[in-house]
Amino acid sequence: MYQPRNNRQIKYHKEEYGDSRKSITAAMLFFTMILVAVSLFIPCCAIAQECHDQQAPYQEESLPFRVVSWNLENLFDTHHDSLKNDHEFLPDALRHWNYSRYKKKLADVARVIAAVGEWTPPALVGLCEVENDTVLRDLTLRSPLKELKYRYVMTDSPDWRGIDVALLYQRDLFKLLSSRSISIPPLGAYRPTRDLLHVSGLLLTGDTLDVFVCHLPSRSGGVKESEPYRLYVAQILRTEVDQILHTRSHPQVIMMGDFNDYPTNRSILKILEAEAPPVITQEPASATGPTGASTVAPSPLKLYHLLARRAKSTNFGSYKYRGEWGLLDHLIVSGTLLNQSSHFFTSEERANVCLLPFLLKDDEKYGDKEPFRTYKGGKYQGGISDHLPVYADFELTYPTN
């Protein structure tokens, strides 16, 4: 290492490489300035963060979330499926079901779904009596409904006529996680029936919503004669729902569709045990206080029928048979969805049958109104369906920051 040996060399070394004492002094001054700046900057940041927290508190936003269930009355295409008995809905059959009638029905169905949603498209739409994937593709992509950008999932059932159930959903409100068909094993001499559709999706709250779309066996052949088949399918449905209620920490279940039974029938009341939601009751006055209001909280493990109480009224229903209105189309929820302190809930006051004027026509035989059917018997009427849609509004609240 180089060592200066005299004053001239020392002076030259300082001029060339700098005085070490001056360098140390400058470095100490520089680091002192940094420490002072940091000590001043950190409290300023804390104050700024505190001001920001005061100006921008935790915020939530609410969105409408309408759920609709509707039997479309034989939404068939015009092509023959060699594996199904769809002959009556072909152009050369007695019903003369042709492409122009098919297109008209698609447009009418699209118009109803948009109208039921009012200003906002329904988040979920359960559909019964749709023939196949072609029909759903035409409805969502080739009808006016394409503007609402629905996606769908559906079953592929062994039903002898070829009809299935489906669920339309809005992707920004319901993120599809899974879907599956629940097949119905054969029962005696009964014909194969529709699968149950189970769909799981993620809500904006971060919770999972489980949806079941159902079309239970029809009443053809007699109500009593066909009832065992509906009870059989209802029991399979109940078993599937129970698995969710007892495994999810926050089970949120919606069951909808055409059950071909009324709320007072055994499939609904005894098998599913779906009853009207609890209501506020008045407690009798006590010696220590006046009469007060109390309510029984809905059980998260029970099922509640949103329209059961209204269905007791006369002239209320989704289907009219021999002049009598009745509720064959149901909206049933788990008790967690009736908790109004939750971020996603509903109530029986938010559920109803849709009575849009163009869904109804004069009932010439029994008086009042009836659903405007596509066919009445074998005669083409040009209407939309023999069922009315049912719907329920949910309140969806989610964090925005």
Side-chain angles (χ1 to χ4, degrees):
M1 183 177 70
Y2 171 75
Q3 297 286 340
R5 298 184 181 183
N6 52 51
N7 291 336
R8 185 175 63 82
Q9 290 179 341
I10 292 173
K11 181 179 179 181
Y12 174 81
H13 180 80
K14 287 181 178 180
E15 292 175 351
E16 182 71 18
Y17 299 102
D19 192 335
S20 60
R21 287 174 298 178
K22 292 181 180 180
S23 299
I24 293 172
T25 301
M28 292 178 65
L29 180 61
F30 175 76
F31 284 112
T32 301
M33 292 173 66
I34 290 177
L35 291 174
V36 171
V38 169
S39 64
L40 293 174
F41 178 75
I42 291 176
C44 291
C45 288
I47 294 172
Q49 182 63 40
E50 183 178 353
C51 293
H52 174 76
D53 293 342
Q54 293 176 353
Q55 294 174 357
Y58 179 79
Q59 295 181 354
E60 292 183 334
E61 184 174 340
S62 294
L63 287 175
F65 194 104
R66 179 165 284 189
V67 175
V68 178
S69 179
W70 191 19
N71 183 319
L72 298 183
E73 188 199 342
N74 297 315
L75 182 54
F76 280 76
D77 62 21
T78 59
H79 304 289
H80 175 52
D81 183 344
S82 60
L83 300 178
K84 303 295 182 181
N85 184 14
D86 60 355
H87 297 283
E88 61 178 324
F89 287 95
L90 296 175
D92 57 353
L94 291 176
R95 291 181 181 268
H96 302 292
W97 183 245
N98 54 41
Y99 186 71
S100 63
R101 291 180 177 182
Y102 172 62
K103 287 282 288 184
K104 179 185 182 302
K105 178 143 183 167
L106 289 176
D108 288 341
V109 168
R111 180 166 61 117
V112 171
I113 292 174
V116 171
E118 298 177 3
W119 299 105
T120 305
L124 301 175
V125 183
L127 299 176
C128 298
E129 292 197 14
V130 290
E131 184 186 12
N132 51 36
D133 185 77
T134 299
V135 168
L136 264 295
R137 188 168 61 249
D138 288 345
L139 178 63
T140 56
L141 299 178
R142 297 184 176 90
S143 81
L145 202 65
K146 67 181 179 181
E147 302 299 330
L148 301 185
K149 302 185 184 304
Y150 277 105
R151 294 296 181 93
Y152 68 88
V153 289
M154 69 178 303
T155 58
D156 185 12
S157 303
D159 177 82
W160 70 286
R161 294 179 59 232
I163 56 175
D164 284 292
V165 298
L167 181 72
L168 309 183
Y169 63 94
Q170 290 284 326
R171 287 190 299 166
D172 57 337
L173 295 175
F174 183 82
K175 181 181 178 182
L176 182 66
L177 296 176
S178 65
S179 67
R180 66 188 182 101
S181 291
I182 302 169
S183 60
I184 308 300
L187 178 66
Y190 290 108
R191 292 170 173 169
T193 190
R194 278 78 57 174
D195 291 354
L196 305 172
L197 177 62
H198 175 207
V199 185
S200 298
L202 195 66
L203 301 173
L204 292 174
T205 61
D207 294 321
T208 300
L209 176 65
D210 289 282
V211 181
F212 290 86
V213 185
C214 317
H215 188 185
L216 269 61
S218 75
R219 295 185 160 207
S220 62
V223 176
K224 290 186 178 180
E225 291 77 7
S226 59
E227 184 183 42
Y229 205 8
R230 288 189 296 280
L231 297 176
Y232 173 68
V233 177
Q235 185 59 64
I236 293 173
L237 174 61
R238 179 74 216 207
T239 301
E240 293 287 339
V241 172
D242 279 342
Q243 290 179 358
I244 294 172
L245 295 179
H246 290 91
T247 55
R248 296 205 190 280
S249 59
H250 185 65
Q252 299 185 132
V253 179
I254 300 175
M255 302 158 59
M256 59 176 141
D258 178 0
F259 286 65
N260 273 308
D261 266 337
Y262 302 115
T264 54
N265 287 135
R266 291 200 297 164
S267 63
I268 306 296
L269 203 57
K270 299 299 182 182
I271 304 298
L272 297 179
E273 298 181 90
E275 59 188 40
V279 296
I280 296 176
T281 57
Q282 294 296 323
E283 292 180 343
S286 65
T288 57
T291 300
S294 68
T295 181
V296 178
S299 169
L301 298 181
K302 290 194 67 173
L303 299 175
Y304 296 94
H305 197 305
L306 296 178
L307 294 170
R309 189 169 283 110
R310 291 192 185 189
K312 296 178 182 178
S313 305
T314 57
N315 297 323
F316 181 89
S318 60
Y319 185 82
K320 196 173 186 182
Y321 179 68
R322 294 181 179 176
E324 297 290 333
W325 283 99
L327 191 73
L328 295 180
D329 304 275
H330 304 266
L331 288 168
I332 301 171
V333 300
S334 57
T336 48
L337 293 177
L338 297 178
N339 182 0
Q340 298 193 18
S341 64
S342 176
H343 290 291
F344 184 68
F345 69 90
T346 188
S347 64
E348 63 180 334
E349 293 79 15
R350 298 167 183 252
N352 209 343
V353 174
C354 182
L355 297 172
L356 292 168
F358 54 84
L359 287 172
L360 299 165
K361 67 179 289 292
D362 291 333
D363 187 342
E364 298 176 356
K365 185 174 182 179
Y366 295 102
D368 194 25
K369 298 289 184 179
E370 66 176 352
F372 190 18
R373 303 165 177 252
T374 305
Y375 284 90
K376 192 167 186 178
K379 182 180 179 182
Y380 179 71
Q381 289 193 314
I384 305 170
S385 177
D386 56 350
H387 287 247
L388 299 177
V390 295
Y391 68 89
D393 287 322
F394 290 74
E395 185 167 321
L396 173 66
T397 306
Y398 67 100
T400 57
N401 60 350

